[in-house]
Amino acid sequence: MTTNPNVPGQDRDHRELRLVVLLLAMGMGLLATGAAVYLSLVHPSMAGPLGVGAAVLGALAGAGGAIARAIRHCR
């Protein structure tokens, strides 16, 4: 059975779902960033711990991305 590339399949649905998840993740990231900036402006003593937390989260995100790329590359 041959497939017709002109007929939209499930890939379109998955692409839309990925886009929605990406937009939600970006929105949550912007909300968290805004909250951290506001908190550091209102309570300057919290700026140090917030910076450490942001660095740790950035490192975890980078490590997760590298692991995901390695897993995809091995497939």
Side-chain angles (χ1 to χ4, degrees):
M1 175 198 243
T2 61
T3 58
N4 186 354
N6 296 327
V7 177
Q10 285 185 336
D11 189 45
R12 179 175 170 84
D13 293 336
H14 293 298
R15 206 174 337 157
E16 290 174 357
L17 179 62
R18 277 185 248 149
L19 177 65
V20 168
V21 169
L22 177 66
L23 290 175
L24 284 173
M26 286 177 57
M28 291 299 296
L30 287 173
L31 185 66
T33 303
V37 168
Y38 173 76
L39 187 61
S40 66
L41 289 175
V42 172
H43 301 287
S45 63
M46 294 294 292
L50 282 174
V52 171
V56 169
L57 286 177
L60 287 174
I67 291 170
R69 182 174 287 220
I71 289 173
R72 275 195 200 143
H73 182 68
C74 290
R75 282 186 181 183

